[in-house]
Amino acid sequence: AIDDALIAVFDAKYHHGFWRPITAIRNGDIDGNDGNDATEREAGWLPVIDVPMHPEYPAAHSVLASALGTVLAAEVGSAPLPVLTTSSPTAKGATRRYDSIGALVQEVNDARIWGGVHYRTSTEVGTHMGRQVGALAAAWLRAAPTDSLWLSSITPLPIGEARNGRPVFSMKSRTSFSAPDHAIPLPMMT
C-alpha cells in the first residue's frame, strides 16, 4: 500500500504542480495589483520545518498515513485496536501514542499544516486518496491465496547495491492477482 501510495501521490503532485505556502505567502500580491487586501505579501516568512523540493498538492504524508491506517483497520477488523505508538530519535526519543487510527492520521495532517508546508485542502485530499489506495491494497490481499505456494511464488530480484554492500531487492510475483470486481467493506477509521 505504501509503495502504491507513493507512486500515486507523486504522479498527482507533478500533474498539479501546486505551489507551497512559502511561495504563496512570500509572493502574495507581489505586484500590489491583485485587489485583495488579504493577500499582503510577507517576504521574510519561513515555515517551521524544511520545505520539500517537490510540488505541494496533495500532501504525501497524509496519503501514506491514511493508506497505512486503512490497511491496518482492514487487518484488525472488529478486534480491539492496540494503542499505536511511534518514537523519533530526532525528536530526542519523544514517543507519541494514539488510541485510534483516525487520531494518528489527523495528527499527521495537522503537523504538515502547522509545520507550514501544506494547506488544509491538500491534507484532506491526501487522506481521501490514501484511503482509496489502502482499500485497494486490502482488497488485493484478501483476494490473494493464503497458502504457502503463493508465498513461495514471490521472487526477490536484485536491482542494485545499497550502503555497506547489502543488496537492494525488488519483489516480483510470478503469479498475478487482481482485486475482486465487487467492493469489499472495510472498517471506518475512527
Side-chain angles (χ1 to χ4, degrees), residues 1 4 67 70-75 130-146 150 177-187:
D4 290 337
T70 301
V71 170
L72 182 58
E75 182 68 23
R131 282 187 186 135
Q132 291 177 316
V133 172
L136 284 171
W140 183 86
L141 286 172
R142 285 186 178 155
T146 57
W150 178 77
F177 299 99
S178 58
D181 293 331
H182 61 282
I184 296 176
L186 296 172

Side-chain angles (χ1 to χ4, degrees), residues 95-108:
T95 299
R96 302 287 303 142
R97 288 174 172 67
Y98 309 93
D99 292 325
S100 71
I101 295 166
L104 181 143
V105 172
Q106 189 59 52
E107 184 168 300
V108 168

